[in-house]
Amino acid sequence: MNPKTPAEYVNPYIGTIGHLLTATRPVTALPHSWARIFPTVTPNVTDYYTAEKIASFPAGPLEIAFAHGNARDAGDAVSRFDVGAVDSHPYSLTVYLEDTDVTVSGTTAMRSFVYRAEGAGKVFILAKRALFAEKDGVLLIETPEGRRGRRAYIRLSLSCPFSLEIREGGAVLSGLSSPCELYASLSYISAEKAEEIYSRELAGEDFASVSAKSKAVWEELLGRVKIRGGTEDQKTTYYTALYRSFGKMFEYGEYGSYYSGYDGQVHEGDFYTVDQLWDSFRCMHPLQLLLEPERHRVMLDSYTEMYRQSGAMPSFPSEDGDRPVMIGFHAAALYADALAKGIPADFETAYRGIRRNATEISMLPWVGDRPAGELETCYYEKGFYPALEEGQAEWIADAHSFERRQAVAVTLEHAYDDWCAAKLAEHLGYEEDAKLFSERAKNYRNVYNREIGFMAPKNADGNWISNYDPMRGGGQGGRAYFAECNAYTFNFSVWHDIEGLAELMGGKEAMADRLDELFTTPAPGKYGFLDQFPDSTGLMGMFCMGNEPSFHIPYFYNYIGKPWLTQRRMRTIMDLWFTNSPLGICGDEDSGAMSSWFAFSALGLYPVCPGKPDYALSVPLFDEVRIRVSGGEFVIKAEGAGSGLRYIRSATLNGVPYERAFLSHADLTAGGELVLELSDRPNKAWAAE
């Protein structure tokens, strides 16, 4: 029996039951492609694995419903299916529709969809208010104008003859023979461009050949990381996480040109957008920078293009403009990380946008590009974002009624963004700016209350908010003071100055005690706690693996001379919360953010602070890891890790004894070999300094 390839290990149904909030979807698509296939289930089930009926399949803005020949409308295409019998991969999907006796398979090219239907006599094309035209057996479909003038132009054809009937809300293709394949190519520029895309991606192809090409793309990309050892379930979990790490950003380029929703114009060049930056800057972008450096360069160029076209550096970009979501201006992290790791970019243009965000734009959560006001003035002049007293009415008109001020989290995350801005300013020779932002990077100190040992809110006068509860304060999601988590988590949201934070807490031993407290303090009744903090899933004490603000915390032990505790915590977390199961992701996936944490961590590496050129070390899940890098290959050997050994007894880097709990980006990308000798007991002396 031939061993599985990396793409064959992927199980898209991992995580399709949410622990509390959003579950994943089993997506078939090429890396970074917006041409994505996942069945449209009905009713609208949020836990995808529990869905019992499929109504249709997507083709961009269209929905395609396959039915028997006697079907009257798309409702007759709705069918039960057995989720356990779905053949789902990154490169293809096959599902049997029991009620209609139709088998549907789907695959994609970069901007095109291919479906193969066996037993279908009719196809329903669902597209409200779309314009349909038919010529020589080819359907041309134009969708209504959307936001920023965006329209979709679809060229659709079948491999078998059909009769066309235009109806309100779409069209019906009937008289199909079996099997029949459907081909749809989509452009946001013109019908002519859709025809060109068809010619480039589908002409002369069929389902089998397109699926094979898609698989080859995934094999090459996933094969940039090779693993040996561990269980079959661990390999499945790993390669599934890696596959999910290459979903976004989406490539909107159409072979030399693209339509931009940032100014409603067609431009020349390549272009990526759609990014959940609050989630993705932490480790998804650093993973793509490591494994796809050339593509990552284009993503950086795309951010500067979005800035040029809209006048604002986006924080949560969509296909049609920035979205006012979450907090912080974390594009600064992308460029600081690229600078630190030697990835070329237009740092001058990017800095102009980053500086504008940092000095002129509102920092209020979920507000977007609004001018700075009195709250920002408090941050600029006093070094903290001001909170309201408990029960005090909000007077800032722009403040979001549900998301509130998140005052402490805003202070902490903007202090990090300011640190990133300082690095860019220094590189570009803006000495006064570098000094300004370096000082603001220390603002985290202004919201640490030494008396209680927690980050805490202050009012505009600089007084601590009265009756503050670090565990339950701040209302729903802690949003008066924090972002979806409480002070136990945000106590450690200072990844750019961990040494300074330790000093603030009273020294390294004091920080170790605070970390232990985080992992061992139980929720005071999980039901009530998770009702208030539904994003804080994957609980281990107060540590919540299920949300991004926690990602870096287990690695803090490395910085205070106790890397063996990082090794212990990491193995426990990975074994407990990341499994080959519909419940195998413990929080919101957030478009690859959660998976990218595991994809990094299972290699024994993690970029704690984007903007610094190093990785914290732990123990891999596997006996051997081979990472393709610009200098060739970097190998991590950790014999026994796959069978459960979790502690580093000693290490060598390229044959030389190694006593650091960190690995530089330069050493990693140059290629080489890190050998970890493991033990079942901690070696508290290794890398203790």
Side-chain angles (χ1 to χ4, degrees), residues 116 200 332 442 498 583 626:
R116 175 181 173 86
R200 288 176 176 268
K442 301 173 185 176
I498 299 169
L583 282 162
R626 292 181 174 270

Side-chain angles (χ1 to χ4, degrees), residues 266-279:
V266 176
H267 299 267
E268 294 183 356
D270 296 321
F271 187 66
Y272 289 76
T273 188
V274 183
D275 193 6
Q276 297 180 205
L277 193 50
W278 186 80
D279 308 287

Side-chain angles (χ1 to χ4, degrees), residues 520-642:
T520 58
T521 299
K526 269 190 182 180
Y527 176 83
F529 183 81
L530 288 175
D531 182 55
Q532 182 182 356
F533 294 98
D535 294 272
S536 294
T537 49
L539 282 172
M540 299 170 64
M542 278 287 100
F543 174 78
C544 55
M545 185 61 242
N547 207 3
E548 282 77 10
S550 297
F551 280 6
H552 57 282
I553 295 176
Y555 292 97
F556 270 32
Y557 289 107
N558 278 20
Y559 294 81
I560 55 176
K562 298 180 184 291
W564 58 275
L565 282 171
T566 286
Q567 297 154 28
R568 174 182 296 175
R569 302 287 189 205
M570 287 304 305
R571 186 63 186 236
T572 302
I573 292 167
M574 290 190 290
D575 286 349
L576 180 62
W577 294 121
F578 294 86
T579 61
N580 180 18
S581 159
L583 282 162
I585 298 177
C586 63
D588 286 2
E589 166 65 3
D590 286 321
S591 298
M594 188 70 60
S595 286
S596 66
W597 180 91
F598 181 76
F600 247 133
S601 296
L603 302 181
L605 303 168
Y606 190 74
V608 170
C609 181
K612 292 186 178 181
D614 54 29
Y615 304 87
L617 290 178
S618 185
V619 175
L621 279 182
F622 309 102
D623 294 338
E624 183 177 277
V625 170
R626 292 181 174 270
I627 307 168
R628 190 188 310 171
V629 292
S630 55
E633 187 174 63
F634 191 85
V635 181
I636 303 174
K637 292 184 177 180
E639 294 296 337

Side-chain angles (χ1 to χ4, degrees), residues 240-318:
T240 303
L242 197 59
Y243 131 85
R244 285 219 173 91
S245 301
F246 299 118
K248 292 180 180 175
M249 301 167 72
F250 292 158
E251 182 182 354
Y252 276 85
E254 300 181 17
Y255 298 107
S257 56
Y258 65 93
Y259 177 88
S260 173
Y262 285 77
D263 63 0
Q265 302 296 318
V266 176
H267 299 267
E268 294 183 356
D270 296 321
F271 187 66
Y272 289 76
T273 188
V274 183
D275 193 6
Q276 297 180 205
L277 193 50
W278 186 80
D279 308 287
S280 62
F281 87 88
R282 303 167 195 269
C283 50
M284 192 171 92
H285 275 288
L287 182 66
Q288 294 175 2
L289 180 153
L290 178 64
L291 296 178
E292 302 180 294
E294 292 304 316
R295 193 193 295 264
H296 193 72
R297 287 182 59 181
V298 182
M299 292 181 186
L300 293 170
D301 290 343
S302 298
Y303 263 92
T304 54
E305 285 303 308
M306 287 184 267
Y307 166 62
R308 287 190 182 98
Q309 294 165 15
S310 68
M313 179 63 76
S315 291
F316 223 82
S318 74

Side-chain angles (χ1 to χ4, degrees), residues 493-504:
S493 288
V494 188
W495 46 93
H496 63 287
D497 187 13
I498 299 169
E499 296 80 5
L501 178 63
E503 179 186 0
L504 201 61

